[in-house]
Amino acid sequence: MKKTLANLVILLAFSNISYGQIVRDTVCSNAVKTIILQRESVELSQPILRLGGADRLLLQFDVLGEESRYYSYRIQHCTHDWQVSDIAVSDYLSGFETAPIGNSRNSFTTRQPYVHYWETIPNEMTTFTASGNYLLTVFSDDNPDSILFTRRFYVYEVQADIQAEIGQTLGSDGKNRNQNVSVFVNPPKGTFFNNPHQYLHLYVRQNGRNDLCRELPINSIKGSELQYRWKDANVFPGGNVFRFFDISNINIPMYTTASMEIFGGENIAYLKPEEDRSRKSYVFREGLNGQFKVSAANRNEAEVEADYVWVNFSLPMASPRLDGAFHIVGDFAGWDFTDENMLQWQPQMKAYTSRILVKQGYYSYQIVFVPAGSSEGQTSVLEGDFFETRNDYYIFLYQRTPADRYDRLIGATTIKRE
């Protein structure tokens, strides 16, 4: 599917996500599945680009059904705390703010028909000229107010040297359960950060969890080096190795899958009952830390040959928890706590259950408990917290001085607990 510039005329009617509005990753249509936004040719990578670099983002998603339609994307710059920036498009983009998604293919040999779409960014129609946080919105051309989904991504400069280390917390309380993230920031050689307490913001995020994305305060300044350490915000629960299931082969139950069947023309998988791992010893296993990989056994092009499967989860429990809710978190289920990824209590089964429609592949996830009234999930209830867990931490440093019109992302790096 290819489109001409004439198709862009309709985009003029597209209504803005307003300035100052806090944005998150959202899915607005039940037909949209398997959204992937990562660096092109770098599997399982984060959507983080260096300004002016050669890398591009690859956007992929499926829309269930057989009819191919026209979709477009829109790009907006955001502040350090994910509000849409009040600046002109020309301040951060060269080219078009909106552009068509130019590639699609219909699935084949699948029980569930779908259309697979993809696009690379930047491209000949869109180039970034400013660093910062960005929001990508995908919408339908014949109804510009109909948003399919949004995804956030990052474009960074190299105007700071960021080093980090993961250690144990001080004292015996939580020493074996938590991870202390220390960050050390240096400006370009021979310079200093002007008024860093006011003009800089440093965030650390554990894996993909939005509830564990924190702004760290400066602990001390040593010469030109900023030290972010030994504060409560630096302490993250260790969590545990992510759970997983493998449905790359829909004919043979694998690993944590108890059984598979075809019912009503749909593929259905039943996972083995989930276990409470909080009282077990830590056991290392390589994992994807909440990410997923599309894969279909005996198929050459998984993007269009992988089928969809209803995956059923069950968590046995003697009685329900009345003080909160259990949620499945991971890239495929979303990193926020929503009704779609919440496990529901089934009194006749004495278990919490859920089912999610996903594409064939390998998936990792955790089950976290969210206390009533809290915005942060607890891994301690079912997963357990262990200092040894090999979490990924993503670090972002923003700057906005009186001379800047927007929040610049002047440094970004990743550290893994080894």
Side-chain angles (χ1 to χ4, degrees):
M1 177 185 69
K2 289 289 182 182
K3 297 170 65 182
T4 66
L5 289 176
N7 295 105
L8 292 176
V9 175
I10 194 171
L11 304 183
L12 296 176
F14 182 68
S15 57
N16 291 349
I17 293 178
S18 59
Y19 297 136
Q21 179 178 340
I22 296 176
V23 298
R24 306 189 75 88
D25 293 344
T26 59
V27 179
C28 305
S29 170
N30 292 331
V32 177
K33 302 294 179 184
T34 320
I35 303 169
I36 299 173
L37 184 63
Q38 61 188 21
R39 295 205 313 276
E40 185 181 25
S41 303
V42 185
E43 195 172 53
L44 301 177
S45 59
Q46 292 292 305
I48 305 172
L49 292 181
R50 179 175 175 176
L51 183 65
D55 285 346
R56 300 190 298 176
L57 294 178
L58 174 62
L59 169 69
Q60 302 180 77
F61 63 96
D62 296 339
V63 179
L64 303 185
E66 298 179 353
E67 181 183 358
S68 179
R69 301 180 63 182
Y70 290 130
Y71 298 107
S72 293
Y73 66 84
R74 182 168 193 255
I75 292 174
Q76 292 173 280
H77 190 276
C78 296
T79 62
H80 68 90
D81 54 354
W82 292 105
Q83 300 180 57
V84 176
S85 300
D86 187 7
I87 57 176
V89 175
S90 58
D91 287 333
Y92 58 90
L93 288 180
S94 174
F96 294 94
E97 176 190 18
T98 54
I101 294 172
N103 309 284
S104 69
R105 290 179 64 189
N106 285 78
S107 64
F108 58 99
T109 68
T110 60
R111 293 188 175 91
Q112 169 63 63
Y114 60 88
V115 182
H116 179 70
Y117 298 86
W118 73 96
E119 187 58 82
T120 55
I121 306 170
N123 50 47
E124 65 277 6
M125 303 186 72
T126 304
T127 303
F128 303 109
T129 59
S131 66
N133 290 343
Y134 279 87
L135 178 70
L136 174 75
T137 302
V138 173
F139 58 96
S140 175
D141 280 9
D142 60 3
N143 185 6
D145 289 328
S146 178
I147 296 175
L148 270 70
F149 63 88
T150 61
R151 279 297 180 270
R152 299 177 299 176
F153 65 95
Y154 307 83
V155 178
Y156 71 96
E157 306 172 44
V158 184
Q159 296 296 322
D161 176 62
I162 303 175
Q163 302 295 324
E165 59 186 33
I166 300 172
Q168 290 180 299
T169 57
L170 296 176
S172 58
D173 184 32
K175 182 177 181 180
N176 296 319
R177 301 192 305 270
N178 298 325
Q179 296 175 343
N180 189 90
V181 181
S182 298
V183 183
F184 308 90
V185 176
N186 283 279
K189 189 174 181 180
T191 66
F192 287 84
F193 289 117
N194 182 29
N195 199 352
H197 290 279
Q198 181 176 354
Y199 299 148
L200 294 182
H201 299 274
L202 185 133
Y203 288 83
V204 176
R205 187 188 77 210
Q206 185 190 85
N207 302 315
R209 287 184 59 178
N210 295 316
D211 62 319
L212 291 182
C213 182
R214 302 173 181 169
E215 182 174 3
L216 304 190
I218 298 174
N219 172 262
S220 60
I221 301 176
K222 186 177 182 180
S224 62
E225 182 178 77
L226 310 179
Q227 299 184 346
Y228 299 79
R229 58 194 320 200
W230 310 130
K231 297 289 188 178
D232 290 344
N234 296 69
V235 179
F236 291 79
N240 203 341
V241 176
F242 277 67
R243 303 169 192 251
F244 75 96
F245 61 88
D246 184 348
I247 53 170
S248 57
N249 191 328
I250 57 177
N251 298 312
I252 302 174
M254 302 177 67
Y255 305 113
T256 60
T257 303
S259 63
M260 303 193 72
E261 66 179 18
I262 301 170
F263 183 79
E266 296 182 313
N267 302 303
I268 301 174
Y270 296 91
L271 302 186
K272 296 177 181 178
E274 305 289 351
E275 296 181 340
D276 181 349
R277 304 191 295 169
S278 63
R279 294 175 177 82
K280 295 187 175 182
S281 299
Y282 176 80
V283 177
F284 170 75
R285 183 185 70 246
E286 288 287 356
L288 301 183
N289 282 357
Q291 295 179 287
F292 67 88
K293 179 180 178 180
V294 173
S295 177
N298 305 315
R299 296 289 187 268
N300 295 321
E301 297 181 281
E303 292 82 2
V304 291
E305 291 187 275
D307 213 336
Y308 274 84
V309 180
W310 282 104
V311 177
N312 289 266
F313 302 81
S314 64
L315 172 63
M317 195 165 291
S319 59
R321 290 286 298 260
L322 303 179
D323 56 340
F326 291 100
H327 290 262
I328 299 168
V329 295
D331 208 10
F332 77 99
W335 291 102
D336 287 318
F337 307 126
T338 65
D339 291 342
E340 288 74 22
N341 62 29
M342 184 170 66
L343 291 151
Q344 303 292 334
W345 173 250
Q346 306 295 336
Q348 70 279 10
M349 299 174 60
K350 288 197 175 296
Y352 283 92
T353 68
S354 180
R355 71 170 193 161
I356 300 177
L357 184 65
V358 298
K359 204 171 187 177
Q360 279 182 265
Y362 184 95
Y363 291 79
S364 61
Y365 65 101
Q366 288 183 332
I367 301 177
V368 302
F369 180 74
V370 184
S374 175
S375 59
E376 184 171 312
Q378 299 175 354
T379 45
S380 58
V381 175
L382 281 178
E383 305 293 356
D385 287 321
F386 301 92
F387 166 73
E388 299 90 342
T389 305
R390 299 183 64 181
N391 291 306
D392 294 314
Y393 288 93
Y394 302 95
I395 303 171
F396 305 97
L397 179 66
Y398 303 88
Q399 182 182 57
R400 184 168 186 174
T401 69
D404 296 319
R405 296 189 305 276
Y406 54 85
D407 292 351
R408 298 162 54 204
L409 179 53
I410 64 171
T413 192
T414 304
I415 184 173
K416 178 186 282 288
R417 164 73 176 91
E418 298 294 346

